[in-house]
Amino acid sequence: MASRPLTTFQLTATLLVALLATCHAGSIAVYWGQNDGEASLAETCASGNYEFVILAFLPKFGKGQTPELNLASHCDPSSGGCRSQSKDIKACQRRGVKVLLSIGGGDGSYGLSSPGDARQVAMYLWNNYLGGASSSGPLGNVALDGIDFDIELGSAKFWNNLARDLKDLGKNGGKTVLLSAAPQCPFPDEWDGGAISTGLFDFVWVQFYNNEECQFSAGRKAFMDAWKKWESVPAGKIFLGLPASKDAAGTGFVPASELTSRVLPLIKGSPKYGGVMLWSKFYDDRTGYSSAIKSDV
């Protein structure tokens, strides 16, 4: 039977489907742990809004220091109190949510003094957080999915060594260790740039806030120029990092309606588009930002 030519309507519909197929459905990543009064880890994952939850922070490590976890008032790691989070972490993972530990942060005492120091920190992270030798690390008997590099101070040296060591430990241990980074939007990032250039990072959630020269409020051209530079890095997926409320950052907040109508349409067609990262769960609880954008991400 001879095939009939497509009608105009059918052709339009076919092209529309093809166009939509090029727009990649994204995920939402959220930072958790630094504020009193935010939802528990289990509640955060049960919401169904997030594919990634990043525990913030491990702000002290390297240079011979004893590493210290800081989850604000959620728990006291010095007394072993954060081991109780293991139940919630496992509940998140059962739901398919990836849970990562963020090292660094905007305030802390951290850094690497040499490739050997990087190796020691990698071994510590592997054994205590990623399922290595220790059955009872600061978060209890858990194997987190990966490590997030939120390096915002100190030296830019040896972070590439740490990334390689973490990936190698995972490979040798039969586990995929996810790596993510949270650079500032001015390109390249002063601290994370060298590590990201290794090509080992699965996710890069770029902070398009507190950086007036490249956040969306700087204008479409400045924003897109920065986004395209970040698209060029040898990483898996690039996320648009945003504050979940006006109070969450000094500048860079984008109302949900503006994000879905004006910002996301500019970047969702990118093959590297991964979604949106939010700082943080505490602020998202108060604004409902993730719920407002989820269907459009």
Side-chain angles (χ1 to χ4, degrees), residues 268-290:
K268 282 182 72 173
S270 163
K272 282 192 175 179
Y273 170 77
V276 174
M277 173 274 278
L278 296 177
W279 177 268
S280 63
K281 178 57 179 163
F282 173 80
Y283 296 102
D284 192 27
D285 283 344
R286 277 139 190 82
T287 61
Y289 196 86
S290 63

Side-chain angles (χ1 to χ4, degrees), residues 204-283:
V204 176
W205 10 82
V206 185
Q207 296 184 47
F208 280 89
Y209 55 93
N210 291 336
N211 289 287
E212 294 192 24
E213 67 267 41
C214 46
Q215 61 198 36
F216 189 67
S217 60
R220 174 172 169 163
K221 183 181 185 304
F223 169 74
M224 286 306 298
D225 284 350
W227 176 266
K228 286 173 181 173
K229 287 175 183 174
W230 282 108
E231 277 185 326
S232 73
V233 301
K237 294 293 182 183
I238 310 299
F239 282 61
L240 174 65
L242 293 173
S245 79
K246 284 184 178 179
D247 296 331
T251 61
F253 175 70
V254 180
S257 59
E258 185 176 6
L259 178 71
T260 57
S261 65
R262 296 185 59 203
V263 184
L264 292 181
L266 296 175
I267 61 177
K268 282 182 72 173
S270 163
K272 282 192 175 179
Y273 170 77
V276 174
M277 173 274 278
L278 296 177
W279 177 268
S280 63
K281 178 57 179 163
F282 173 80
Y283 296 102

Side-chain angles (χ1 to χ4, degrees), residues 85-271:
Q85 296 294 331
S86 62
K87 183 180 177 183
D88 283 11
I89 290 167
K90 290 174 182 177
C92 288
Q93 292 173 324
R94 283 195 299 271
R95 292 179 180 274
V97 177
K98 302 296 185 186
V99 183
L100 294 87
L101 173 67
S102 186
I103 62 172
D107 184 26
S109 172
Y110 58 85
L112 302 171
S113 58
S114 67
D117 191 18
R119 177 72 179 173
Q120 284 192 322
V121 171
M123 286 296 297
Y124 170 80
L125 293 171
W126 171 254
N127 286 326
N128 288 278
Y129 291 101
L130 297 170
S134 174
S135 61
S136 188
L139 292 171
N141 185 16
V142 295
L144 300 182
D145 297 288
I147 300 296
D148 174 61
F149 287 46
D150 183 19
I151 311 306
E152 301 190 35
L153 53 86
S155 170
K157 290 184 176 180
F158 310 118
W159 300 111
N160 55 337
N161 298 82
L162 180 60
R164 290 191 186 96
D165 289 340
L166 286 167
K167 282 290 190 182
D168 287 345
L169 284 165
K171 196 179 298 180
N172 295 336
K175 171 189 171 74
T176 299
V177 174
L178 298 176
L179 293 183
S180 64
Q184 310 293 313
C185 60
F187 185 88
D189 184 75
E190 181 178 351
W191 294 283
D192 279 333
I196 293 169
S197 68
T198 62
L200 296 173
F201 281 74
D202 303 280
F203 311 103
V204 176
W205 10 82
V206 185
Q207 296 184 47
F208 280 89
Y209 55 93
N210 291 336
N211 289 287
E212 294 192 24
E213 67 267 41
C214 46
Q215 61 198 36
F216 189 67
S217 60
R220 174 172 169 163
K221 183 181 185 304
F223 169 74
M224 286 306 298
D225 284 350
W227 176 266
K228 286 173 181 173
K229 287 175 183 174
W230 282 108
E231 277 185 326
S232 73
V233 301
K237 294 293 182 183
I238 310 299
F239 282 61
L240 174 65
L242 293 173
S245 79
K246 284 184 178 179
D247 296 331
T251 61
F253 175 70
V254 180
S257 59
E258 185 176 6
L259 178 71
T260 57
S261 65
R262 296 185 59 203
V263 184
L264 292 181
L266 296 175
I267 61 177
K268 282 182 72 173
S270 163

